[in-house]
Amino acid sequence: MTAHLESSNAWLLSGTSRTHAAQLTFLESTLSTADPHLQALAWDLKARVAMAESDLHGARESIQQALAILDKFEILVAAWQVYATAWHLYGHAKSTK
């Protein structure tokens, strides 16, 4: 699953169209586990892909899912990534108004 995450991150950074399919595979895989760390990272990835596709509504929904996981569990490594994405999303949404 970590390999799926990192390959999706690489595709997202390169702007490759395979990102969407890869992040869906990663999200499906992680949601079938009980690992809240991976689940939060999967929702974060989905939010970043949505932002790259200019889908602010989808990005907001995904970030809310990730934040809900962080509210239940103390996952510091995932938390900083999710909060950073939320900060970028807020800044992006604010600049498009």
Side-chain angles (χ1 to χ4, degrees):
M1 282 190 253
T2 303
H4 280 288
L5 172 64
E6 294 309 323
S7 64
S8 297
N9 282 328
W11 287 330
L12 181 60
L13 289 172
S14 71
T16 305
S17 61
R18 294 175 61 187
T19 305
H20 186 72
Q23 62 94 15
L24 287 177
T25 301
F26 179 66
L27 181 62
E28 289 171 1
S29 297
T30 57
L31 293 180
S32 68
T33 71
D35 187 343
H37 176 255
L38 286 175
Q39 290 178 357
L41 292 178
W43 285 112
D44 177 73
L45 175 63
K46 187 170 181 177
R48 289 184 289 122
V49 169
M51 286 172 54
E53 296 174 345
S54 298
D55 177 12
L56 296 182
H57 179 71
R60 248 184 247 115
E61 288 180 355
S62 296
I63 279 296
Q64 288 174 348
Q65 291 289 337
L67 291 172
I69 293 169
L70 296 178
D71 282 344
K72 293 179 186 176
F73 302 96
E74 187 174 323
I75 314 166
L76 299 180
V77 174
W80 73 262
Q81 292 173 297
V82 172
Y83 290 131
T85 301
W87 182 80
H88 286 291
L89 175 61
Y90 174 77
H92 184 72
K94 190 175 178 182
S95 70
T96 59
K97 286 186 179 181

